Amino acid sequence: MTARDYNAEFKDKPSERQYAYQFDAVLRRYVMRSLDPFLLPGKALEMGCYTGDVTEMIAERYADLTVIEASEELVAAARARLDGRAAFVHGTFETVDLSDRYDAVFLIHTLEHLDDPVLVLRRVNDWLTDRGRLFVVVPNANAPSRQIAVQMGLIPFNSAITDDERRHGHRKTYSLD
């Protein structure tokens, strides 16, 4: 297996992005509002924080928040942004050692980046309290945009990983099944 450069994967250039109108920010707020009815009070764990957009929203809901991130540059960016409202652990999900248990674990647009998702999900099971909940949000392989891309010949099948997705660290595209 080739070593990954977690610092390089998040550095897609804004000038190369094919979308506008801050769609990602709108989507993140919608995702968190959708999860709100299912959140339990207590301690939270975010797995993968990028620059801290979702981390800020989780910190609004949880005073006790731990974040795991593999990129030290992203840890620094999110830590500065959160100003002490979260504890950060620099490491990979596969190797970090967590002694705490959590009432909410968030994998928001992260599962598709994992080299060994089954191993990580098994570890998450050990990090949850007895009443704890895991919240997973991933891009949808069966989204209309991907179905259209298949029909247009842009990708061979719905769950195909494009070169741009691969450069951004995606390893798999999920569907509900």
Side-chain angles (χ1 to χ4, degrees):
M1 178 186 291
T2 305
R4 292 176 63 180
D5 183 350
Y6 296 100
N7 292 318
E9 289 178 3
F10 74 88
K11 293 181 180 175
D12 56 338
K13 297 176 184 156
S15 62
E16 295 175 0
R17 292 187 183 145
Q18 300 297 311
Y19 54 88
Y21 59 85
Q22 300 297 317
F23 180 76
D24 283 350
V26 172
L27 180 62
R28 285 187 291 270
R29 287 191 300 273
Y30 170 76
V31 164
M32 288 308 297
R33 280 195 320 268
S34 298
L35 297 179
D36 277 340
F38 306 100
L39 301 180
L40 299 173
K43 297 171 72 165
L45 174 68
E46 181 186 26
M47 300 176 68
C49 64
Y50 190 56
T51 59
D53 298 324
V54 173
T55 314
E56 281 188 319
M57 289 184 263
I58 296 171
E60 290 170 3
R61 292 155 171 85
Y62 288 92
D64 191 338
L65 172 60
T66 300
V67 179
I68 305 169
E69 173 57 56
S71 164
E72 70 264 11
E73 292 179 33
L74 291 176
V75 167
R79 181 180 278 136
R81 186 176 186 166
L82 272 285
D83 194 29
R85 293 182 291 150
F88 288 86
V89 177
H90 174 236
T92 64
F93 310 141
E94 296 86 353
T95 61
V96 297
D97 184 26
L98 299 177
S99 57
D100 287 337
R101 299 293 172 261
Y102 302 91
D103 300 296
V105 175
F106 296 90
L107 273 163
I108 309 293
H109 287 268
T110 303
L111 190 66
E112 66 274 14
H113 292 265
L114 302 182
D115 292 320
D116 191 344
V118 173
L119 170 68
V120 171
L121 290 172
R122 284 187 180 127
R123 297 201 77 204
V124 168
N125 189 55
D126 293 336
W127 297 334
L128 286 167
T129 63
D130 289 340
R131 67 185 191 110
R133 295 179 177 176
L134 169 63
F135 299 95
V136 179
V137 177
V138 294
N140 181 2
N142 293 320
S145 58
R146 291 191 78 87
Q147 294 180 45
I148 292 166
V150 169
Q151 295 301 313
M152 293 174 67
L154 299 175
I155 58 175
F157 50 93
N158 289 7
S159 61
I161 303 297
T162 67
D163 290 340
D164 285 341
E165 289 169 328
R166 191 171 289 104
R167 276 191 293 278
H168 188 66
H170 287 212
R171 299 294 181 254
K172 184 172 180 130
T173 303
Y174 291 94
S175 59
L176 188 57
D177 59 338

